[in-house]
Amino acid sequence: MERGTRSVMGEIKERILINAPISEVYNSYKDTTNWKYALSDVLDVETIYDDSFYQEFYMTVERNLKPETVRTIRFCEPLKTIELFQPDPPPQVNSMRGKWEFKAISSKVTEVTATRIYELKNIHENETYQKKLTEHLKRNLLLFKSFNEKVGVIEVSRYIPASKQEVFECFWDIKNWYKVWSPIEGVEVNFDDNYTQIFTMEVWRDGICEKVQTIRKRENDQITFTSPVAPPKLKEHSGSWIFKNEGEGAIVTATRNFQMDKEQILEDEHHALKNYKYNLQMRLLKILDSFVDYYEHKKGGIINEIH
Amino acid sequence: MPTTTLLKNKSKFTLESFKKILDQISIDYDDSFNVHFTVGDDLEMDSQEIVELLCELETEYNLSLKDGFIKRTDNVETIIEKMNEVLLESDEGSNHLSTPYEFTRIDTISIKTSISNMTEAIWDLGGWEEKLPHIKKIEILYDDNYNQEFYMTVQTDENKEAVKVRSIRRLINLHEIEFFQPQPPKYLLHHAGKWSFQSINNEQTEVILEHKWNVNKDTLVLLYPNLSYEQACEKIDYELFEHAQASLKLWKEVLEA
C-alpha cells in the first residue's frame, strides 16, 4: 500500500431525546417509507426485501444536488435496535455500519442513540470525514425528532445560473415574482424599506386561491420570513431563502418550519403532516426550478442576441 | 410440522398455549397431563429439551427469556404464571413484537467440538467449498467480520441443476449467526433464521438451527397445482426439515472426522 494512505477505523455516536412514545419513534425509523417525509434529501426508496425484522433496500438521496443511490441492509430488533451495513460502501470508506438504539425514558419520551463505525481508506482524511459524518448524523437525528414531534421541516436546494447578488435581489423583489412563478394571482406590498418587507400575496394552491400575509427580513446571505397568520391548515409557518456562491452561479436553499393546526384538519395529524410536507416540498422545488428556468432563458436570450 | 396460527403477545398464556408449544417440539404427554406436572419428573424433559422449550417460547412470542427461566423442578402452573408476567411486561410493544413469520422450525445436534471451533466453522465461509461437498462455489460479496453477503452455489443431487442463492448474515453475541435470504426460492415470500451455539463442555457443543419463513401464496398454487395449501406448506416444511437435518449431520461428520 502507498505510504501515507493507511486506512483507519472510526466511530461516532450521537444521542437525542424525542418527545414521543418508543413504539412511534422505533416505527418511524423502521418503516422506510417514512424516510422521504422525515428527510428532505431522500428522493426514493426501493425495497428489495422486508419481513419487518430483516430489510434490504435502495435509497436514493440528493448529494451535492445530484441523486445518489445507496444499498442498505438492516437488522431490526423491535423496540430495541436497528443495525445496518452498506455492502457497497461510499467511495471514501472500506466499510460502513452502524445502529440506532431506542430506550424509553418515559411513556412519552424516547432516547435514540445513533452509532456509525467505518473504515476510512485514507487516515489523513479522518478529521474532516468524522466532522462531516457527525454533522450529518446530528442533522438526521434532529429531523427525525421533528418528524416524531409533528413539526414539519423542509430544506431543498437548487443551483441557479446567475450571481448570488442578482438572484438574491430577484427573490427580494416580490412585486415581480409573478414573472417567474405563475401561480401568483396578485401581490400587495404593505411595507418595504429594503430590510423589512410586509406583503400580502394571493396564490393558487390545490385549486384554492389563498391570501397570505408575510413578513420578510434581509439577514446577510438569507431572506427570512414568518406568516403572522399561518396559511390554511397550519398553526405556525416560517422559513428562509439562503444564498451561497457556487462557481459562476448560486445555490439557493429553501427552508420551511411548520406545524399543522389540529382544528383545521380532519385526518390524523401525522398523516396530514406527511402529506402537507411532501406537497410543500414539491412546490418549493417547482418554485426553485422556475427560477432556474427563468435565468436559463435569460442567459439563452443574451447568447442569442450576441449571435 | 408447520406452526398453526400464532399466538400474539396480547393473548393470555394458557395451558392450551403450553400444550401447543410442547407439540411443536414433539414432547409427548397423555390425557392425565395437568398444570401440576413438573418439567423434569413428570414430562421427563432433559436439559436439551428444556433449552428447546425456551427457544420455542422465545420464537413463538418474540421474547428474550433469561437462561434458567424454566427449571426442571418448575410445574406447568409456575411456567404459565411466569409467561403471563413476561407477556404483560412486553404488552406495550405487542404490535411490534409479534413475529412476522407464519412458520418456524428448530433443529438441533450435538457436535464434539469446542464452541469457538463450531462458530468459526459456520462463520468462516472460506472453508465451506473444501469441507462441504454440496457447496460448489462461494462468492463473498462483503465481509466486515460482523456482516457478510455472499452467493452460494449449491448442488445436492448430481442429477439436478445447481442453485445459486444470495445470503446475508451477521454475527451476534459471539455465538449466534443470524441470516436471511433477500431473494428466497419462488415458493417462499420470506426466509430467515439463526445458528446458535451452546457449550455443553470444552469438547461438546449444542448446535441449534432455526428457520423462519412465510410461504408465497401466489406462487404456491402454480408450483404445486395438485396440492392443497396445507399440503404444499407441509411439503415445504419437510424439505426445510430435510435440508436442516442434512446440514447439521454433515457439519457433525466434518467436525468430528
Side-chain angles (χ1 to χ4, degrees):
Chain A
M1 189 178 278
E2 200 183 316
R3 206 179 160 193
T5 54
R6 279 182 302 124
S7 68
V8 62
M9 291 299 293
E11 180 173 340
I12 56 166
K13 191 177 265 195
E14 291 295 326
R15 278 193 186 87
I16 203 161
L17 287 178
I18 298 179
N19 294 300
I22 190 167
S23 54
E24 281 181 29
V25 176
Y26 171 80
N27 200 44
S28 70
Y29 278 92
K30 195 209 78 176
D31 184 355
T32 52
T33 59
N34 280 325
W35 281 61
K36 69 177 174 185
Y37 300 106
L39 308 177
S40 296
D41 61 355
V42 174
L43 305 175
D44 193 27
V45 176
E46 186 197 334
T47 301
I48 304 165
Y49 181 92
D50 187 351
D51 65 18
S52 90
F53 280 11
Y54 305 99
Q55 299 174 323
E56 183 184 27
F57 56 86
Y58 286 107
M59 188 175 279
T60 304
V61 294
E62 195 173 273
R63 288 278 175 272
N64 303 320
L65 301 177
K66 284 178 192 157
E68 187 181 298
T69 301
V70 182
R71 184 164 63 101
T72 300
I73 288 159
R74 305 202 304 184
F75 302 86
C76 308
E77 192 177 351
L79 306 181
K80 286 183 184 164
T81 58
I82 296 175
E83 292 201 40
L84 71 100
F85 76 96
Q86 290 175 345
D88 310 306
Q92 286 163 293
V93 296
N94 288 325
S95 67
M96 172 63 76
R97 59 193 173 89
K99 68 176 162 185
W100 289 277
E101 291 165 274
F102 305 91
K103 189 179 165 191
I105 302 296
S106 73
S107 61
K108 288 177 184 170
V109 181
T110 305
E111 182 188 68
V112 180
T113 306
T115 311
R116 291 292 177 275
I117 300 165
Y118 57 87
E119 187 188 348
L120 193 67
K121 286 178 184 170
N122 186 345
I123 193 169
H124 300 298
E125 290 174 1
N126 194 31
E127 203 178 321
T128 321
Y129 189 80
Q130 195 168 54
K131 197 178 159 195
K132 210 171 145 187
L133 194 62
T134 304
E135 276 171 21
H136 184 72
L137 199 60
K138 271 186 185 171
R139 177 145 186 80
N140 273 8
L141 287 171
L142 272 171
L143 287 168
F144 268 94
K145 178 181 168 72
S146 300
F147 179 75
N148 279 288
E149 294 179 1
K150 301 181 180 68
V151 176
V153 179
I154 297 175
E155 188 180 308
V156 286
S157 305
R158 281 289 182 265
Y159 172 81
I160 295 182
S163 74
K164 185 179 88 175
Q165 204 48 42
E166 188 181 350
V167 178
F168 189 107
E169 294 307 329
C170 186
F171 270 79
W172 182 259
D173 183 11
I174 198 69
K175 288 192 300 299
N176 287 311
W177 261 52
Y178 72 93
K179 291 178 185 169
V180 183
W181 177 238
S182 58
I184 296 174
E185 188 65 26
V187 180
E188 189 190 335
V189 178
N190 313 109
F191 178 84
D192 191 348
D193 64 1
N194 215 22
Y195 289 98
T196 303
Q197 197 178 53
I198 303 171
F199 62 85
T200 309
M201 185 183 270
E202 284 177 52
V203 62
W204 288 93
R205 191 199 303 261
D206 301 331
I208 299 164
C209 190
E210 295 176 3
K211 199 171 181 179
V212 185
Q213 195 184 51
T214 303
I215 302 171
R216 302 208 299 180
K217 281 185 194 298
R218 276 176 187 261
E219 287 176 17
N220 300 321
D221 290 334
Q222 56 178 313
I223 299 169
T224 60
F225 71 86
T226 55
S227 310
V229 178
K233 293 187 182 177
L234 300 186
K235 194 164 68 181
E236 281 175 33
H237 181 236
S238 63
S240 65
W241 301 99
I242 303 165
F243 304 86
K244 216 169 102 181
N245 280 319
E246 177 71 27
E248 291 178 0
I251 287 179
V252 180
T253 302
T255 73
R256 293 293 182 275
N257 286 276
F258 60 93
Q259 275 184 280
M260 304 306 296
D261 183 356
K262 276 191 231 173
E263 290 182 8
Q264 290 187 62
I265 51 171
L266 300 169
E267 56 199 314
D268 163 71
E269 191 184 356
H270 227 145
H271 188 250
L273 178 84
K274 278 161 82 168
N275 279 340
Y276 198 95
K277 182 184 181 291
Y278 189 73
N279 291 334
L280 181 57
Q281 185 164 316
M282 291 298 118
R283 190 177 174 87
L284 286 170
L285 284 169
K286 274 186 188 167
I287 294 175
L288 288 171
D289 284 338
S290 67
F291 275 89
V292 174
D293 288 348
Y294 175 76
Y295 277 103
E296 274 175 355
H297 279 117
K298 210 173 160 185
K299 208 170 155 187
I302 292 164
I303 291 164
N304 285 338
E305 278 170 29
I306 294 167
H307 291 278
Chain B
M1 291 292 287
T3 51
T4 51
T5 311
L6 289 172
L7 295 158
K8 303 292 182 222
N9 287 341
K10 277 180 181 170
S11 314
K12 200 169 181 294
F13 192 82
T14 61
L15 181 63
E16 285 313 304
S17 320
F18 189 68
K19 278 184 179 174
K20 272 186 188 172
I21 298 289
L22 292 179
D23 291 339
Q24 278 160 219
I25 57 169
S26 305
I27 299 292
D28 294 327
Y29 52 87
D30 59 28
D31 291 339
S32 65
F33 178 69
N34 61 60
V35 291
H36 303 296
F37 269 42
T38 58
V39 171
D41 290 342
D42 298 318
L43 285 169
E44 297 178 346
M45 290 173 73
D46 61 26
S47 56
Q48 182 45 42
E49 286 168 330
I50 293 174
V51 170
E52 273 188 62
L53 172 64
L54 201 69
C55 291
E56 193 66 21
L57 286 168
E58 286 188 323
T59 308
E60 192 80 303
Y61 291 90
N62 238 302
L63 297 167
S64 176
L65 302 173
K66 288 175 191 164
D67 289 342
F69 179 79
I70 295 173
K71 298 180 180 66
R72 287 189 83 253
T73 49
D74 280 350
N75 64 21
V76 176
E77 192 172 30
T78 314
I79 296 170
I80 290 172
E81 276 173 20
K82 285 188 200 176
M83 276 302 288
N84 278 320
E85 273 174 29
V86 174
L87 289 171
L88 194 68
E89 278 171 21
S90 67
D91 196 43
E92 204 240 309
S94 61
N95 289 335
H96 292 278
L97 297 175
S98 59
T99 176
Y101 309 103
E102 196 179 351
F103 301 92
T104 60
R105 65 163 304 107
I106 291 178
D107 294 274
T108 64
I109 203 164
S110 178
I111 296 181
K112 196 175 176 188
T113 190
S114 68
I115 190 167
S116 55
N117 274 351
M118 190 65 236
T119 313
E120 179 68 16
I122 302 294
W123 181 250
D124 178 19
L125 294 163
W128 280 31
E129 278 179 37
E130 191 192 333
K131 288 173 187 161
L132 309 171
H134 68 291
I135 303 292
K136 300 301 170 194
K137 199 175 180 188
I138 293 281
E139 293 166 69
I140 299 173
L141 304 173
Y142 180 87
D143 189 347
D144 63 14
N145 297 326
Y146 295 94
N147 304 287
Q148 294 174 334
E149 181 188 24
F150 59 96
Y151 277 120
M152 178 167 65
T153 306
V154 187
Q155 191 173 28
T156 46
D157 185 335
E158 289 298 324
N159 300 319
K160 283 184 184 168
E161 211 178 315
V163 180
K164 190 175 176 179
V165 292
R166 186 160 66 94
S167 193
I168 291 165
R169 310 198 301 177
R170 72 162 172 166
L171 182 65
I172 44 171
N173 306 329
L174 289 174
H175 299 307
E176 286 180 357
I177 298 166
E178 272 188 300
F179 63 86
F180 75 97
Q181 262 182 289
Q183 284 144 324
K186 282 178 187 168
Y187 50 87
L188 296 183
L189 188 63
H190 302 127
H191 182 215
K194 187 162 78 174
W195 291 88
S196 312
F197 312 105
Q198 291 171 1
S199 182
I200 294 170
N201 57 45
N202 288 344
E203 294 177 345
Q204 199 77 23
T205 303
E206 190 67 25
V207 180
I208 299 154
L209 176 55
E210 182 187 5
H211 282 276
K212 307 179 278 190
W213 70 96
N214 290 315
V215 296
N216 187 334
K217 287 175 184 165
D218 296 334
T219 58
L220 222 53
V221 185
L222 302 170
L223 291 167
Y224 306 111
N226 301 322
L227 300 181
S228 69
Y229 172 71
E230 286 74 19
Q231 286 170 329
C233 290
E234 275 181 31
K235 183 179 165 59
I236 291 167
D237 182 61
Y238 186 72
E239 279 174 11
L240 281 167
F241 160 75
E242 279 199 315
H243 167 76
Q245 289 293 325
S247 177
L248 290 172
K249 280 177 191 162
L250 192 56
W251 277 113
K252 188 174 172 71
E253 280 171 28
V254 168
L255 291 163
E256 291 184 354

